[in-house]
Structure formats: structure tokens, C-alpha cells
Amino acid sequence: MTQINRLAGGQIDRHTTLNFTFDGKKYQGHAGDTLASALLANNVRLMGRSFKYHRPRGPLTAGSEEPNALVELRSGARQEPNTRATTAELFDGLQARSQNRFPSLKFDAMAINDRFSNFLTAGFYYKTFMWPAAFWEKIYEPIIRKAAGLGSLSMQEDPDQYDKGFRHCDVLIIGAGPSGLMAALTAARAGKEVILADEDFTFGGRLNSETHAINDNVATDWVASSIAELASLPNVRLMPRTTIIGAFDHGIYGAVERISDHLPIPPADKPRQILWRIYASRAILCAGATERPIAFENNDRPGIMLAGALRTYANRYGTTAAKRVAIFTNNDDGHRTASDLATKGVHIAAVVDTRPDAPSGHNYEVLKGAQIVNTMGRLGLTFAEVLQADGSTRMLECGALGVSGGWNPNVHLTCHQRGRPTWNGDLAAFVPGGTLPPGMTVAGAAMGDFSTHAALTSGTQAAATALGVKAVNVPLAEDAPIRQTPFWYVEGASRAWLDQQNDVTVKDVKLSHQEGFRSVEHLKRYTTLGMATDQGKTSNMGGLAIMAELAGKSIPEVGTTIFRPPYTATAIGVMGGRMRGKDFHPTRLTPSHDWAKERGAVFVEVGNWLRAQWFPIAGETHWRESVDREVTATRASVGVCDCTTLGKIDVQGVDAATFLNKIYCNGFAKLAVGKVRYGLMLREDGIAMDDGTAGRMADDHFIVTTTTANAARVYQHMEFVRQCLMPDADVQVISTTEAWAQYAVAGPNSRKLLQKIVDPEFDITNEGFPFMACGNITVCGGLRARLFRISFSGELAFEIAVPSRYGDALMRRLMSEGEEFDVTPYGTEALGVMRIEKGHAAGNELNGTTTALNLGMGRMVSKVKDSIGSKLSERAGLNEPDALMQVGIKPLDAEQKVTAGGHLMNEDGPVDAAHDQGYVTSAAFSPTMGSMIGLGFLKDGSNRTGEKMRLVSPVTDLTIEVEIVSAHFVDPEGERVRA
Amino acid sequence: MRYSGFKVIKEALTGHKGWKPAWRDPEPRPHYDIIIIGGGGHGLATAHYLAKVYGQKNIAVIEKGWIGGGNVGRNTTIIRSNYMLDGNEPFYEFSLKLWEGLEQDLNYNAMISQRGIMNLIHSDAQRDAFIRRGNAMMLNGADAELLDAAQIRKEYPFLNFDDARFPIKGGLAQRRGGTVRHDAVAWGFARSADSHGVDIIQNCEVTGFRIENGKCLGIETSKGFIGANKVASAVAGSSGRLMAKANMRLPIESHVLQAFVSEGLKPVLPGVITFGAGHFYVSQSDKGGLVFGGDIDGYNSYAQRGNLPVVEDVCEGGMAIMPIIGRARLLRMWGGIMDMSMDGSPIIDETHIEGLYFNGGWCYGGFKATPASGYAYAHLLAKGTPHETATAYRFNRFETGHMIDEKGMGNQPNLH
């Protein structure tokens, strides 16, 4: 029996013994223990080190507000830093290690900082480390960074799954203590859809920690019967191990359910945690209260904890922190701890009560009007020094000291939408303010209703009022009056801790005030008070009370800092859910994907699409060989490219032509049925937005194509125009990108190839189906299809579309029918090369800052109609005489590399920003030209053809000489496309 | 009072009795030469440079709450000058140079840490654009470095190289970029301005402007009327509401941007990383917290808080690019108001009302600009002409078509 601090009773299952290790040492605990309760049972009080001074620390609390007992839990890739031992459920095989210490928890070399604490006061680092200037980054900061931080990440990918989901309810009840259970019973019996969530693994809240009776029975019996009733109702969902992390707009609450944190590893197919977005018509906050400490000299030793926590460990976990316990309190609650512990056989050294009129105890000594002025014990409390009312001092031998400064309602969630709490003078505490998140009601201790009776009553009343249902009968329970008078700190201490994790003392607050950092926000930021992993749940109140005193203001005048989500720190993994790795974004596959994969294509991410980049064949060792071959073969005979990813938008309605006339800067009203036209659309600010084609299939039916990148944005834009700018127009738009598989068939033999599959009744000769024709056809014996005679490559070319489910078959058919022409599939690289050779703008040119004028299409912007962006495109700044114009770029030495992103400089003169003449947008090796070529924008570029310039790219360490040429490297007359 | 290591030691040995308030807490005088509205980074920097560089006296900074309580106190602390466009890059590079000497200039350790910033590249088009940007930076005298995936992996081996939806194909680094202890910037500028005689008046809300015959004569405040020859607004997210009191409507929308910090961790990340295929960027503070952020919430709002969809979006990006952070915990999330302009770039200019000046539209890039913004605004206020690095930041650029649109998103503020 090593659990020497075990007491009788509690909710642990003594029949189930669990083995665990802390810092490599083996211990045993029981099911129902937390790591902290099990360690305390084994007489381990030292569990961590503080952030700055590396002071030895044990648990201050028994809950999620814990600042001290932070450990690294688990090992390997599941290592989890900064885990609160006070909430970590014990499981068999649990491994935990202390953190932020070197070499060991008991001997920490960094504790030297504590010796120098007088030099390391609040904000000292703002005043020093400035000389010599270079030393900050080279010497001082690296030392500080290494010393800072708490636990360590494993540096391995988190192996666990996380999930997300939505839930809806009439009422979300946050906290399942006495008020939460009553609220839940009230709502549930009235037939409301109820979600009852509690961060703990056991329902009952504070009732688990107390010895009070309800209806003359043990309170936990009432909890059990209430939970049993709720569990039996179909309209109730019980969510233990679920923290409501935030109250967001529109009654949406963020909730994190810990599915597997109490298990060694998550069961197969189960996530570690789930993020729920709970949509609640109403919420009742029953989050209870947090006990507040008192600051005094050396009040941070292991063994010193909140009195209510000592009670929790004794009553719920059947353990004490030590055999001899003292209490330091300013209110009656501290006496409860003494009474409960004494009843369980723990020796009470004394109750030190600051109040001269403190009650007496029947089984313990009370020192009235006394204060604790110091404590001893390097790695754990041994003695507490008491200044008694008569001025004498007395040493109390004790291994644990329970401190109670009263209780603060947990108002956090009431403030998540920037509401401020209000001061309740009777309780000397902040209570929920008048402005709550819409739909929220507060009950129980969170509202300041501290007695069990008051909590039960306010729970049912809050639910009844909020939901308009009947209150339920309130069971009998204690209703002790609450006396809370403020007592924040013991005078005269040289170091009395407020924020134990961040090592902020009363003196730091005083220094902050002295130096003018007097608003609570300045106090927080200057001293780091409340910025630790507990966000000041036990420390903020003391700090601002002291600031108020120093500033001669009332506490409500000083106010609080802002409460922000999450209520307790939340794994980043659960906020990411399943959207990681390959599932970060959906992957869109083109209809020919399987076929391309069989061909050994190399794929590339294009937005969410995966597209074939090139198709290597046997013997090719470098991607350029494949791409050059694809380009050459296409220009020589015929190539096929899957261009399904281009956005397709069906535009229908009587006003479809009028609509497109508004969308595109060039005219569409008079486009004949059966014809396609290139279209350029401008943004409202006159800058080019996207380009593509629109084919008129019927008077009232157009098919618009967009670039792959802008498919969604153009669709969104069209919907905006349709709904907001032309609400009366008879026009409908729908995206059909996925509905049609579309392939470019390009090259001099493209017609011959298509003629083999297009059904014979359709004439696709040059006369019957000239350049820029379009139409509905059938292929392969009756399969409906669409044919467009458009060309991105500059060759005689078509784009053929069939319903997506036929896409794979069509590609295979094109390949087999094309064998006689040596048909060549080509990927996005060859596509890019050919469009650069032809001088077609693409995403690199349509970069959101270029105008129609820049793109060499200034004259396309119709002056005879009003289209979006046409007016603003006339602004002087967009039409300056030396405006950038799209040009072609050719290296003087064919061996040299043209770099996209390079800048253009005059042949002579300085190379700097002031002499910048333009930049290269796209570059590729052109097998047709036998050198690299580029497209770019050059000031006054249309008048500078033939000029020699320098292309500089300092970031890739390149300078070459180039010649400015026409952007149309291939077939500038456009004869091929019309062939 | 001069701060130094010696001073810290001396005070430690003598009970810290000698520390004085970092700035005075004066009552407003009836009249100032120049009143700056807004005790944030930009306003306090303006005061500092006006007093120290431009020799102006009789200056006040008016702050409705406590200084440093706006975006300078709630940003993600990154400094950089990796801009591309002519109107921007010289200004941001000027700012970075001012950062580099700021601690000595202010005698305040703002922990400026040039840990480097790395913009990750995930596609060929992105690489082309980053090369153009890197070149623009270098042509403007800034530093830039293009890295391939192997080099990135060497520096940041824990990024997702094996299982990425959008593989890392390289990165554009600016080694002189980095992070700063943000609150200290406000405090350092305030302390310096105060020591040069600037009155910093906190808890004084501007309720109106006194404008007669097209001339601004001063401001109405919660502490009464205060006269001024020049009144200069520097209130970032509150710009729309403040300038409405002068009957001005701005080419600015106010949006919510959230930011996040994790619990303290032992050193993980040496520099700043930005994910190029999602909305996520991250650095690690000297205290050990991972400081990260992403996109704005996307709707117009004056609420300094955001909502879950963007929280999730940011964490998804984080898990996608850096899956080692799954078990680190998000400690705190907060929101600030961004003064999003129509082209994503700021305005430092006079208004049509004589004596009334405006500085705003910083979108979510204002922190890094703090010193240069203050310097350029001070120049404008003292000399009446724009500073040479800020000539493009004029109100009329939307009318003349001289937009400065780094991201190329157009006149939709929520897309910048």
C-alpha cells in the first residue's frame, strides 16, 4: 500500500487499480482518480515548476482552473504538453512527466532565477538588453527563448483523428452541478430538446466535492437519480467530458467533447476529440464558481492549495494532500474543509481565519483575526507561520494548507460577446452583467447563488423563465448564508504570489502602478498577470483588487480584462478536424483522370483540381523532353488535352444576351446563334477580372467558359449581378463545370480525328463549322455532345464536351481513333507552352492589376454600351501614355533562361526600382522557337518592339539580354486556327 | 530617466523605489499646435517623430481608452517589407529600417527580433509571382531570398512534406523580417514622446470636431473642447466612426480579424511561416506561445470578436501545413477591427477640411508600418507635403485610378 494519503470514502473505484508513472517512477491509483488526486494519494505534492522563477509547485486546485500542476502526458507522437494533472483522468499505463525543469523536477538548475528575482521584476526586459544592439538577437534573446515556454511538442505529426459536427437544441445547459441539473430536469420534463454538457467526466459539479445532503440523502444519490431520469428521456442529450469553449454569434456555442482522452489510445475508428457547433435557441450557464486564493509570503509551495480543492480531493477522491493540514480563510467555506477533513481523520493544525468574529470549530482549532505571514519547505510545505490577533507569531506544522479567499462566479461565457460583468458588493465579486449573449440565462453559483438551495432554486427558475415552462419542486438542501468580505493579500510580504504560473507577485502589481501601467489591460500586459495557460482564473481578481486599492479606485471602476474564448485551452487539432493531410481541401478529379493515371501521367494541383501535367513515355528522363514532344506532336498532327477544369456556366433566359453584355466589356448582344465569342470581363474598378468564351447555343442560351482559377469567382460575380444589379432580368445561371467532360482536340489533324467520331449528319468542315462556331452535336452514334471551334494553342482546334459520365470513354475513343494520326495526349505544361507561344493571356497575366489596355485589348472595351468596369477603366491612372503593354520576350542568346518574375530594365543605365520598365509574367521553353520565350508587361511596350533590354532577376541571380518582340510567337496572322 | 542594465541592477539593489511612470498623466491644455487622435502605435509614433525628428512642440495624443489598446495591442507582431508594388515597397522598407534602430532610438527594448519570414510556395504560378516580388524587394534595396523545397525542409523539417494536399515547392524568405513585442512598441513610443513633451491624454473620447468655414479648429471631447491648429486622426478600425463626426465618408470598410495564441511551448519555430495554400501564418513568441492567424471573418463589423468558421479555417490551415501542432492547445482567440481600404493599401493624407488630416486604411498590415506611418504622418503634419516614401497614399487615388492593389483583388475590401 503506497497510497499513504488515501482516506475513506469518495467516488473512486478501489477495486480497480491503475498503474501509472510520473517522471519514470511507478505509482498506483484507482479508477475515478485524476492524475493529481492519484499523485497526492501517493504523497507526491511536487508536480511542476513555475514559468519564470522555476519555483517548485504542486496543484493549487482540483479542476480546470489549475495554474501549477501542468505535465507532459503520454509519450511519442501523442506527447501532450501542459496537461493539467487536476483534470487528466487516470488510466492504466498513463505516463506523465514534469516539464520546464532541468535536469530534474527536484533539482532544477533554472531555479537560480529565483535568486535573482529582484532583478527580474515585471517588465525588466523592456529596460535592458539594448546594449550592444547586436547582442539582443545573438545572445540575450536565444537564452530567453530557451528558458521560456512550458512543455514540449513531440515534433511529430499528431496521429489521432479529430472530428467535427453540428448539434441543435432548444436549450443548452452548460454545467451539470446543482443548478444545471435542476435546469435540465425542468426543461426535459417540459419536453424541450435539451443538451446538458459538463467539462467533468462525472456529472454533479460541486456536489461531488461536498458532504451536503439533498432530501436527507447523500447529494450524489440525488445526482445519480437525476441523471438516470434525464438519460431515460429521448429529448435529452447528456454530454460529459464536454467543455463549452465559447459563446459565439447567433446562439452558436463551441463545444469540445473529449472522446478518448481518458483512454490509453483512441479506440479504432474513434476520434480523440470532437468539435461540436451547438445551435441553441437558449442557453443556461450553470458554470459554478472558482475559489480565489489569498496572497501571502511564500504562498506557492507544494501543498498549499485552495481549501475547496482540498475538500474535493478528500470527499470525491478519498485522498488528502498531507496528514496534517492547516486552513487559511476569510470566510466560512474554509471551515467546511476543516470540518470535512477532520471528520475523515485528517489532523487539522488550525484554521487561521482573518475575521476576528470567525466561528469556532467543534473538531478543530480556530485562530481568529489571524493571518499566515510565511511558509517553509523547499519542495513541499512543512510549516506555516501565523501572525495571531495578539501580535504573537506561531508556527503550524502542516504538509498542506487550504486557502480560501471566497468564490468568484464563473462569468466567462457571459462576456464572450463583449458584455462586462457587474460588481456585487455583498459577495465582493463580479457577477454576470446586464448584457449577456442573446438567449443566455445564468443560474446557480455562476449567478452568485452560492448555497446549494439557492443554486437548485435558481436552476429551475432560470429554465422555467427562459423556456416558458413550469418550474419543478426544489429538493431540500443546505442554505447557509454567504459572508464574503474582501481580503486579497497579507500586508508586508516581500513575495506573495498572485499568478502562480507566470510568477506575478503583489509587488509586481505595485511596480506596475508605480510606473504608470494602471489600467487593467496595462497591468496584464506589463506584468503578464493572467496570461498563463489558466488565463488568470484564480489570479486576475486579486491583481485588479490590489490595483484598485493602489489607484484609490473601487474594483468595478478598475474593471476586468476581456474574457476571450476558449474557456479552457483547446487542442488545435480538434479545431482543424479532418481537414488535414490530403483531406485539407477536397480533391477534384477530371473525367479522364483514371485514364491519365493508366498512361502514367504526372499530376499537378491546380486549385482543388488534379490535372495531368505531362505524359512521360518510355525513354524520357526529364519533364522537358515530354513537354517538348507533346507540343511538337500537337502542332505537327493532333493532341488532346482535358480542359474540363475550365469553369462552365450555363446562362439562360430571355435576357441572357443583355446580361452578358453587362458582364463582358465587349459586345454580346448581336452574337449569332451557333457562334462563340472571346469575352473579357472587368471588375467594377475597371481591372480585367477574367476571360473566356461564350457560345450562343440558342437565342436564350449561352455557355460561358472561365479560367480554371476564377470559375467560382466568376459564377459568384454573375449571381451578384443577376440578383443585385439586374433583379428584373429574365436570366438564370448555373455552374455546369462538373456536368460536362471537355477536351481540347488541337492540331492540323484535329478535324480528321473528330470526323471519325462525330456522327455523320453533322458537318464539321471548315465551311460547315468555321472558326468560332459552336453547336449541339452527337458523337459515337447518338451520344449528345457540344462542339466548339476555339483554340488556345493557336492550331486548328476544337473543344468537345460530353456528359461527364462519358468522359473516360470519349478520351479512350479519341486515343484509339487517333492512332493513325499519332494522337498525343498533352498536359498542362504543354498547354501552357502553346498558349505562351500564341501570346494568349492566362492567370499570370490576369493578375488582378492589369487592364484591357495592358493586355493589348483596350479597344475591346465597348464605348457604345454600359458594361461593368468600363467607366472606371477610363480613369487617367489606368491610361497613362507609358502604360504597361503586353509584349513578347526573346533572349538574345537562345541558350539563356528567361525567368518569369524577372524585371525589365533598359539596355543601359542603373538597375533599380526607379528604372524598372516592366516584368515578365510567363516564361517557357518553346520547342517551336528553339529557345525560351516569355510574355511580360513593358511600359509603352507596344511601341518598343525590337528594342534590346536587360531582364534582371536578382533573387534568382540572373541578368540576360532580351529583345522585345510580338507576343504572338506562332502564327501571328492566325491562319492555322482558321484552316 | 534612461533605461539600462545598470539602472535595472541599481534599482534592484535599492528596492525599485526610483522607477517613475513611463509617461505622465496630464490634463489637456486648452490649445495645441497638433492634436493626434488615437493613442495606438501609429498615433504615438507620429507624436514621437513630430517631437524628436521634426522639432514640433505643443503636441497632444488623445486616446479614448488606454494607450496601445487597439490593434497595436492585439496583432500577430510580424514585421516585414516583402511588398511588390512601387507605391508600397519603399515605404515598408523604410519602416523596416526604422524598426532596426528603434530600440536605441526609443531607449526601450521592444524585442525586435529579425527571425526571418518565410512565404511558402505551392505552385508554379505562385513561384513566378514571388520571384517578381522578391526582385521588386531587392530592386528597392530590401533583402529577399528564394528557396527550393529541399532548402525549406532543411530549415523547417517538421512542416508537412510527405502528406500535403498542396506540396511545398519552395519559399520566399526575408531574413530581416521578424517579430516585435507589440505592446512594448506602444509603450516605447509613448514614453519617448512624453519625454519630448508630448501630452498623452488617456480616457478622453473625441465626441466631435469643431469645423468652421471649412477649417478644423479643434475637437470636442469628454474632457471638453481642445483647440488645435492641426488635428490628425490615427484611429485605424475606428476611422469610419470618427471621421463621420466630420461628415466624411471614407473609402474604407471595417472588418473583424481574429488572432490566436497557443499555450507556452519550448522553442518550436525559429521564424515566421506563411502557408501559401491556405489562410494560416504563425510565429513563436519569446514567451513560447505560437502566435497565429489567417483570414478576416469577411463581414463588416465593429465588434472586436469573431466567430468559429474562421477559427476552424485557420486551424485547418495550421494542421495542413504543420501537423505537429495538433496537441498544442489554443489558449486565446481575439478580434480586432481592421480598416480595410478599397485597394488594400493605406491613406496618409490631408482631407478637404483645412487642418484635418487622416491616417488609416491599414487593413491588417498596420503593425509593421508603425514607425514609417508615424514618420510619414509627422512629415505631412510638419511640412505639409507627403513623405517621399508615402507619396502614393492619397485619398484621390481611387478617383485617378492609381490604386495600390498588392493582392489584385479589386475594390472589395474584404478580399484584401
Side-chain angles (χ1 to χ4, degrees), chain A residues 82 100 118 126 130 137 141 164 249 277 418 515 521-522 525 535 564 570 608 683 875 877 880, chain B residues 12 16 22 66 73 109 113-114 165 183 264 266 286 304-305 307 312 316 330 332 398 400 402:
Chain A
N82 307 334
N100 198 32
N118 209 22
Y126 300 126
M130 285 177 281
E137 277 153 323
E141 193 185 35
K164 294 186 190 179
D249 281 326
R277 302 82 145 197
R418 306 281 296 195
E515 297 196 73
E521 291 288 350
H522 284 160
R525 289 147 189 265
Q535 291 284 284
R564 297 281 193 183
T570 302
N608 284 340
R683 289 192 315 231
R875 286 179 289 176
E880 284 168 353
Chain B
H16 295 287
W66 41 281
N109 183 5
S113 179
Q114 293 180 286
R165 175 69 182 82
D183 293 317
K266 288 293 174 201
D286 282 351
Q304 289 170 303
R305 60 184 165 81
N307 279 293
E312 294 177 40
E316 286 163 6
L330 169 61
R332 192 172 170 90
F398 305 103
T400 62
H402 291 92

Side-chain angles (χ1 to χ4, degrees), chain B residues 254-289:
Chain B
S254 292
H255 283 265
V256 183
L257 176 71
Q258 301 191 68
F260 311 87
V261 66
S262 79
E263 293 180 340
L265 300 163
K266 288 293 174 201
V268 176
L269 251 189
V272 185
I273 297 279
T274 74
F275 181 25
H279 302 291
F280 177 77
Y281 60 90
V282 60
S283 66
Q284 189 171 20
S285 75
D286 282 351
K287 206 164 167 280

Side-chain angles (χ1 to χ4, degrees), chain A residues 891 893-900 923 932-933 951 956 958-962, chain B residues 131:
Chain A
D893 173 355
E895 298 300 310
Q896 281 184 317
K897 182 179 159 66
V898 177
T899 300
M932 284 199 76
I933 58 170
L951 192 168
T956 55
L958 173 128
T959 303
I960 65 165
E961 288 179 291
V962 297
Chain B
I131 290 175

Side-chain angles (χ1 to χ4, degrees), chain A residues 68-80:
Chain A
N68 284 339
L70 306 182
V71 299
E72 283 172 6
L73 199 68
R74 306 172 196 269
S75 58
R78 287 196 170 83
Q79 177 171 313
E80 189 189 307

Side-chain angles (χ1 to χ4, degrees), chain A residues 556-713:
Chain A
E557 277 179 302
V558 168
T560 63
T561 55
I562 300 168
F563 294 88
R564 297 281 193 183
Y567 177 66
T568 53
T570 302
I572 294 172
V574 76
M575 305 305 291
R578 287 175 181 255
M579 310 287 271
R580 53 192 272 209
K582 290 275 191 259
D583 294 332
F584 170 53
H585 276 193
T587 302
R588 302 170 81 181
L589 301 180
T590 68
S592 69
H593 183 84
D594 289 346
W595 163 85
K597 217 169 155 183
E598 288 167 24
R599 293 280 294 222
V602 173
F603 293 96
V604 63
E605 300 77 18
V606 180
N608 284 340
W609 291 99
L610 270 190
R611 296 186 73 179
Q613 199 171 9
W614 61 86
F615 295 83
I617 60 171
E620 287 174 345
T621 55
H622 189 275
W623 64 270
R624 264 275 311 282
E625 293 175 68
S626 313
V627 174
D628 290 354
R629 172 183 49 75
E630 290 169 16
V631 171
T632 309
T634 300
R635 294 218 185 277
S637 178
V638 59
V640 179
C641 181
D642 188 334
C643 55
T644 303
T645 63
L646 293 178
K648 305 180 205 68
I649 301 169
D650 229 57
V651 180
Q652 298 196 30
V654 172
D655 297 319
T658 314
F659 175 76
L660 291 182
N661 227 19
K662 177 108 180 160
I663 296 267
Y664 284 116
C665 71
N666 51 322
F668 271 83
K670 293 178 188 146
L671 181 66
V673 173
K675 288 290 180 188
V676 187
R677 183 169 291 171
Y678 173 82
L680 180 68
M681 58 182 75
L682 307 183
R683 289 192 315 231
E684 218 167 352
D685 64 353
I687 304 290
M689 177 180 182
D690 197 56
D691 71 347
T693 59
R696 192 166 198 168
M697 311 306 280
D699 262 345
D700 58 354
H701 181 199
F702 289 81
I703 295 168
V704 167
T705 64
T706 74
T707 60
T708 300
N710 283 331
R713 194 161 177 218

